[in-house]
Amino acid sequence: MSAAVGNPALLRGIGDDCAILRLTAGQELLITTDLCVEGVHFRREWHPPRSAGHRCLARGLSDIAAMGGEPVACFLSLGLPDLLPQPWANGFMRGLLALAGQFKVPLAGGDTSRSDNIIADIEVLGQAASGSAVLRNGARPGDRIFVTGELGGSAAALKGLYVGNKLTASARHRHFYPMPRLDLGRWLRQKKIPSAMIDLSDGLSIDLAHVCQESNVAAVIDTAAIPVARRASLDLAMHGGEDYELLFTATQRTRLPAKIMDIPITCIGEIQAASSRRGIVQVRDETGRVRPLKLAGWEHFRKI
Ligand SMILES: [Mg+2]
């Protein structure tokens, strides 16, 4: 493995028993870990190795983005089958390191082992000024709910793969090569805009429910306002996962432009006081009718 890129915080990376990091004074360390398992998170027949490596790191970086943090270093533990062709492993590392290079996140350590399936455990370390990381628990009744980008595109691609569509894993496709919203997340934190924030990895309905649970509030979303990606349906935009966009809440007074850093910002609803009667997330259709939303995340690959 090669570390490929440097970060001033990394004093010692691969080559010693431990990595050594020196954080800037006044910063807090953010740590996230994500497990990618072949057949659950990717399939060799669908995902080129570069895409699998990219997606593995993108999941961790997206968690750092959701806190408004700045990534510092990543660590990768890989389990690979004996019979796995070497070019697959090389492609996986190329995909992961290309994304790492783009965000200046050195691979600072890791481990490899033999394994029946491909498993990749990624750990990403990040930093944010003390007390400034955006949490899930700050949403308050009256706050507006915003999402970045468009939703459902990744799930629509995955659905296509299920039914046998031939999809080209183009570098711009957000299913194969999702781009974590790191710059936007950091900008929002620095401007102190979000009262709460999360990245959309499991799907809008489930991830919004996480914010509501942590903040002890409820939410109502306007179905007509949801930015549905091209080729996706409202259902996929509501429940499909792996878009790696950001969802954040902000006070009623917050005025945001339609785009920040060229990424669309859409107000999709509002936070309400928690109510056991109404349920945690409700949807309001074009006629104004409000009904409870059945939460359903994207259970990728579990059904097969
Ligand atoms: Mg997350």
Side-chain angles (χ1 to χ4, degrees), residues 32 34 59 62-64 66 136 198-201 207:
T32 177
D34 272 296
R59 291 177 71 195
S62 183
D63 282 333
I64 300 290
R136 294 178 179 181
I198 192 169
D199 65 314
L200 294 176
S201 53
D207 288 322

Coordinates of all heavy atoms in Angstrom, one line a residue, residues 32 34 59 62-64 66 136 198-201 207, ligand 1:
T32 N -14.6 7.9 12.3 CA -15.7 7.1 11.8 C -15.1 5.8 11.2 O -14.0 5.8 10.6 CB -16.5 7.9 10.8 OG1 -17.5 7.0 10.3 CG2 -15.7 8.4 9.6
D34 N -16.3 2.3 8.8 CA -17.4 1.7 8.0 C -16.9 0.4 7.4 O -15.7 0.3 6.9 CB -17.7 2.6 6.8 CG -18.8 3.6 7.2 OD1 -19.9 3.2 7.4 OD2 -18.5 4.8 7.2
R59 N -17.8 6.5 1.8 CA -18.7 6.4 3.0 C -18.1 7.0 4.2 O -18.8 7.7 5.0 CB -18.9 4.9 3.3 CG -19.7 4.2 2.2 CD -19.9 2.7 2.5 NE -20.7 2.5 3.6 CZ -20.8 1.4 4.3 NH1 -20.0 0.4 4.0 NH2 -21.7 1.2 5.3
S62 N -17.9 10.9 3.9 CA -19.2 11.5 4.0 C -19.7 11.7 5.4 O -20.3 12.7 5.8 CB -20.3 10.6 3.2 OG -21.5 11.2 3.2
D63 N -19.3 10.7 6.3 CA -19.5 10.9 7.7 C -18.8 12.1 8.3 O -19.3 12.9 9.1 CB -19.1 9.7 8.5 CG -20.1 8.5 8.4 OD1 -21.3 8.8 8.1 OD2 -19.7 7.4 8.5
I64 N -17.5 12.3 7.8 CA -16.8 13.5 8.3 C -17.5 14.8 7.7 O -17.6 15.8 8.5 CB -15.3 13.4 7.8 CG1 -14.6 12.2 8.3 CG2 -14.6 14.7 8.1 CD1 -14.3 12.2 9.8
A66 N -20.6 15.2 7.2 CA -21.8 15.3 8.0 C -21.6 16.1 9.3 O -22.6 16.6 9.9 CB -22.5 14.0 8.2
R136 N -26.2 15.6 15.4 CA -27.6 15.2 14.9 C -28.7 15.8 15.9 O -29.9 15.7 15.5 CB -27.8 13.7 14.8 CG -26.9 13.1 13.8 CD -27.1 11.6 13.8 NE -26.3 10.9 12.8 CZ -26.3 9.6 12.6 NH1 -27.1 8.8 13.3 NH2 -25.6 9.0 11.6
I198 N -26.7 15.5 9.0 CA -26.5 14.0 8.8 C -26.2 13.8 7.3 O -26.6 14.6 6.5 CB -27.7 13.2 9.3 CG1 -27.4 11.7 9.4 CG2 -28.9 13.4 8.4 CD1 -28.5 10.9 10.1
D199 N -25.4 12.8 7.0 CA -25.3 12.5 5.6 C -26.3 11.4 5.2 O -26.7 10.6 6.0 CB -23.9 12.0 5.2 CG -23.5 10.7 5.9 OD1 -23.7 10.5 7.1 OD2 -22.9 9.8 5.2
L200 N -26.8 11.5 3.9 CA -27.8 10.6 3.5 C -27.2 9.3 3.0 O -26.9 9.1 1.8 CB -28.7 11.2 2.5 CG -29.5 12.4 3.0 CD1 -30.3 13.1 1.9 CD2 -30.5 12.0 4.1
S201 N -26.9 8.3 3.9 CA -26.4 7.1 3.5 C -27.4 6.0 3.4 O -27.4 5.1 2.6 CB -25.2 6.7 4.4 OG -25.6 6.7 5.7
D207 N -32.7 8.5 7.6 CA -31.7 9.4 8.1 C -32.4 10.6 8.8 O -31.9 11.1 9.8 CB -30.7 9.8 7.0 CG -29.8 8.7 6.7 OD1 -29.4 7.9 7.6 OD2 -29.5 8.5 5.5
Ligands
MG1 MG -23.3 9.0 8.4

